[in-house]
Amino acid sequence: GENVEQHPSTLSVQEGDSAVIKCTYSDSASNYFPWYKQELGKRPQLIIDIRSNVGEKKDQRIAVTLNKTAKHFSLHITETQPEDSAVYFCAADDDYKLSFGAGTTVTVRA
Amino acid sequence: GAVVSQHPSRVICKSGTSVKIECRSLDFQATTMFWYRQFPKQSLMLMATSNEGSKATYEQGVEKDKFLINHASLTLSTLTVTSAHPEDSSFYICSARDRGAGEKLFFGSGTQLSVL
């Protein structure tokens, strides 16, 4: 089955700086890679996603890159704000099920 | 985006009782729903895939007799935790695919189960 690894597990950044989270996946059949933001006790919220036929996607301060050959994808958050503090999960979808990374706790220091 | 409703949001029960959690897709039909379990500060672990009109597919290590899943309609899946024990205390969350939204997965609001 799919194995998704996510790094780092925790990330502390100064407000205004950038945050980068990296994930790798093992199953070449995975073709959809969403990123979720989860606040304590809440449901995961989809923040951005990318499909395997695209190398990069950007939505305002958030961008995702995908290297299908190397089987890794990354989330980039620029100009971080305190409200960006949360747990972020990457995931890989093989059209059957979604496998999650272990999560990254992001803390934005004011 | 699509809306997935999950109830109840919080359950506190005595050991040995059974608890039913409902997951509904409100504005789309979901042939497949997924049930996840999440322990504090951990990731979402897939428990089972619920298919409308057929038996659920359980992940390795998940007891199907312990976690009963029923997906009787295209908009409703239920998870019943039978004879709950304190170790079953966890955050349970469902999700459903909206094929009309490019196969994206939308999550319910989750159920915090506490077994005393």
Side-chain angles (χ1 to χ4, degrees):
Chain A
E2 176 65 274
N3 180 39
V4 179
E5 295 192 356
Q6 181 173 347
H7 299 280
S9 57
T10 61
L11 181 59
S12 179
V13 296
Q14 189 69 37
E15 181 178 0
D17 288 350
S18 295
V20 180
I21 304 171
K22 297 182 178 182
C23 290
T24 61
Y25 63 99
S26 60
D27 190 349
S28 58
S30 292
N31 55 25
Y32 172 62
F33 306 91
W35 286 87
Y36 294 91
K37 176 183 180 182
Q38 187 181 30
E39 296 177 0
L40 189 63
K42 306 287 186 182
R43 77 184 84 194
Q45 296 279 2
L46 177 69
I47 56 171
I48 197 168
D49 55 11
I50 192 167
R51 296 199 176 273
S52 59
N53 58 347
V54 177
E56 185 173 355
K57 184 177 178 181
K58 187 175 182 180
D59 182 5
Q60 299 183 338
R61 297 187 296 109
I62 297 173
V64 58
T65 59
L66 171 65
N67 183 326
K68 193 176 179 183
T69 303
K71 295 195 184 70
H72 63 72
F73 55 114
S74 301
L75 177 72
H76 304 252
I77 307 173
T78 58
E79 301 173 27
T80 53
Q81 300 167 4
E83 52 265 38
D84 294 329
S85 296
V87 180
Y88 291 81
F89 293 98
C90 63
D93 191 343
D94 62 1
D95 282 339
Y96 174 63
K97 62 183 181 183
L98 201 62
S99 299
F100 284 87
T104 297
T105 300
V106 174
T107 303
V108 179
R109 307 187 306 273
Chain B
V3 178
V4 177
S5 174
Q6 183 174 343
H7 295 280
S9 59
R10 182 176 293 273
V11 179
I12 301 173
C13 67
K14 293 182 178 180
S15 186
T17 59
S18 293
V19 175
K20 180 186 277 190
I21 303 169
E22 291 191 351
C23 180
R24 293 180 185 272
S25 56
L26 296 187
D27 52 1
F28 67 99
Q29 293 184 331
T31 54
T32 304
M33 289 185 175
F34 303 88
W35 288 95
Y36 292 86
R37 181 175 183 174
Q38 186 177 33
F39 290 108
K41 298 186 178 182
Q42 293 190 23
S43 188
L44 290 85
M45 298 297 294
L46 181 64
M47 299 174 65
T49 302
S50 168
N51 300 297
E52 187 267 336
S54 64
K55 291 183 178 180
T57 303
Y58 289 83
E59 294 299 300
Q60 190 173 13
V62 178
E63 300 176 59
K64 61 181 180 181
D65 295 330
K66 173 76 172 176
F67 300 100
L68 300 179
I69 291 173
N70 183 279
H71 192 155
S73 78
L74 287 172
T75 59
L76 173 65
S77 177
T78 61
L79 167 67
T80 301
V81 183
T82 62
S83 186
H85 291 283
E87 58 266 28
D88 298 323
S89 299
S90 185
F91 188 61
Y92 293 86
I93 190 163
C94 68
S95 67
R97 283 194 188 282
D98 183 1
R99 300 200 182 278
E103 304 282 343
K104 290 185 179 181
L105 210 64
F106 294 91
F107 286 87
S109 53
T111 299
Q112 183 63 53
L113 172 64
S114 299
V115 184
L116 305 178

